[in-house]
Amino acid sequence: MIDLRSDTQTRPSPEMRAAIAAAEVGDEQKREDPTVNELERRTAELLGQEEAVYVPTATMANEIALRTLGEPGDEVVGEENSHIFISELGGAAVFAGLMTRQLRCEAGRFTPEQLRETVRTGDNTHTPGTKIVSVENTHNASGGRVWPLEEIEAIVATARELGLRLHLDGARMMNASVASGVPAAQLAGTFDTVTLCLSKGLGCPLGALVAGSGELMAKARRLKHQFGGAMRQAGIVAAAGVYALEHNIERLADDHGRARRLAEGLDAAGVPVDLEQVETNFVQVDLAPLGLTRGDALARLWEDGVGLSMTPHPTRLRAVTHLDVDDEDIERAVELIPRALGVLARA
Ligand SMILES: Cc1ncc(COP(=O)(O)O)c(C=O)c1O
């Protein structure tokens, strides 16, 4: 099975397992776990933030961040298919009491003008005030698309001018950084809170961090405890994170190269793929011209040995490259996918 469903499908490598086995540990709740402390220190530095807090999942990191930034009744604005809006079971409303305002836009990226048009100041008696802007980079639902630095700078400047706080769902921040060649600290350092996930392209079995100022992270640490995310000898898994930051960042370029090769191979075989949209480790396949439903297509692909997965778009599937997929797998997928979808080669 060539598992291209998600970059969350990786298994820890032998080297990562060796780092796990050798981990120094302590009581993380008391901040006595040296490996967790080291992972938090390195991540804060990587993201250009003062402090980072280790949590089990990126979902928890996002929810803690939103709760840190807003009060019940405040609004959070973001792209309509942002993970925080469509894949966290309404956590922003449940845990932080936030209203959500969803923006429709291209490639997951909204503009300063859209932000200006949307933001409400609140009148203290009727209208909820917009408080938080959330950016997702890379943007999952649009196919792992990257926010260019100048667009981030423009959104941050506009948000500051409007008195808004900024969250970055940078679950795949390191993909964005590697693809754009811009250091993560530059892409993430101007946000109030940042999520980084370790269990996607970075190849850890679990773990994520939320980063921000010392003051905000003090609040985030209390929330982490309240959410049930304060752990004990968590260094046993944090060691995988330290290993990943040392060994698995630059290699994301390989995943991006393989996604491009897959997209080009599929396109050459007549599978509807928009090459322009392939910026990181995602390839989206449009089934509309093929007249197949997503369920049918996924079942046929699975039967033929390739795992793809759904996107929020009603006719699009995605293939995601990662650490456990090599060049040979990609060449095989280039043969198997068109066959499974009943596409006849153009050449
Ligand atoms: C952009 C984004 N943010 C957050 C998450 C949440 O990650 P997890 O499911 O590990 O909590 C995901 C997961 O796919 C994601 O794609």
Side-chain angles (χ1 to χ4, degrees):
M1 179 58 64
I2 304 166
D3 198 341
L4 300 170
R5 288 174 299 171
S6 174
D7 47 10
T8 55
Q9 296 305 314
T10 55
R11 306 282 200 282
S13 63
E15 295 79 11
M16 184 176 275
R17 286 173 190 266
I20 290 169
E24 267 189 72
V25 298
D27 189 339
E28 190 258 0
Q29 277 193 16
K30 298 193 191 318
R31 302 194 65 188
E32 289 173 2
D33 189 304
T35 311
V36 171
N37 294 345
E38 178 62 7
L39 176 63
E40 291 183 342
R41 190 192 63 72
R42 288 189 192 211
T43 305
E45 190 179 311
L46 179 73
L47 299 175
Q49 296 284 350
E50 258 171 44
E51 216 176 307
V53 178
Y54 185 49
V55 290
T57 65
T59 299
M60 192 188 283
N62 280 339
E63 296 304 333
I64 288 175
L66 294 175
R67 173 102 177 257
T68 301
L69 297 177
E71 296 295 325
D74 288 342
E75 273 184 355
V76 52
V77 176
E79 191 277 337
E80 64 175 345
N81 288 318
S82 299
H83 196 277
I84 58 162
F85 292 156
I86 66 165
S87 298
E88 298 184 10
L89 284 170
V94 175
F95 301 118
L98 297 174
M99 292 268 296
T100 58
R101 293 285 295 288
Q102 285 122 348
L103 302 175
R104 185 156 291 183
C105 36
E106 268 302 297
R109 310 199 306 263
F110 45 91
T111 62
E113 293 69 40
Q114 266 178 303
L115 200 54
R116 276 181 207 288
E117 281 164 16
T118 308
V119 163
R120 302 193 272 226
T121 49
D123 61 5
N124 287 325
T125 54
H126 296 79
T127 313
T130 311
K131 191 67 153 298
I132 307 167
V133 184
S134 184
V135 165
E136 190 176 303
N137 192 17
T138 63
H139 189 267
N140 179 342
S142 66
R145 306 291 294 273
V146 179
W147 280 73
L149 179 61
E150 33 326 333
E151 289 187 31
I152 288 178
E153 287 173 344
I155 289 294
V156 170
T158 307
R160 296 296 176 213
E161 187 195 314
L162 297 170
L164 305 174
R165 295 179 135 189
L166 285 138
H167 174 60
L168 171 63
D169 180 355
R172 294 185 180 81
M173 168 47 40
M174 301 322 300
N175 292 87
S177 170
V178 167
S180 60
V182 180
Q186 242 177 305
L187 294 169
T190 50
F191 287 80
D192 294 301
T193 51
V194 184
T195 292
L196 175 72
C197 187
L198 298 169
S199 66
K200 301 196 166 63
L202 297 179
C204 296
L206 61 95
L209 293 107
V210 54
S213 67
E215 196 184 334
L216 287 176
M217 291 306 101
K219 196 171 168 191
R221 272 187 209 285
R222 287 175 58 81
L223 289 167
K224 165 180 161 168
H225 199 99
Q226 209 170 56
F227 275 55
M231 298 170 277
R232 298 297 182 178
Q233 286 71 33
I236 205 82
V237 235
V242 173
Y243 177 90
L245 296 188
E246 277 177 12
H247 298 94
N248 290 350
I249 294 179
E250 277 100 58
R251 66 148 308 284
L252 291 170
D254 299 342
D255 296 344
H256 300 171
R258 289 187 181 117
R260 175 129 303 269
R261 164 67 197 133
L262 176 64
E264 285 171 357
L266 294 179
D267 177 61
V271 175
V273 164
D274 185 346
L275 294 178
E276 293 272 299
Q277 291 184 4
V278 182
E279 295 177 349
T280 56
N281 59 328
F282 286 50
V283 178
Q284 289 201 349
V285 174
D286 190 2
L287 298 172
L290 305 179
L292 286 171
T293 67
R294 291 186 302 177
D296 277 351
L298 285 177
R300 286 195 199 192
L301 287 159
W302 193 257
E303 219 166 274
D304 283 7
V306 197
L308 266 66
S309 60
M310 302 254 186
T311 72
H313 193 281
T315 67
R316 274 188 225 143
L317 297 182
R318 68 175 198 184
V320 185
T321 56
H322 53 76
L323 245 162
D324 292 356
V325 172
D326 62 17
D327 290 335
E328 219 174 284
D329 293 327
I330 293 300
E331 294 314 317
R332 189 95 187 97
V334 166
E335 281 172 31
L336 291 172
I337 293 173
R339 205 184 304 158
L341 298 178
V343 175
L344 296 175
R346 279 185 202 146

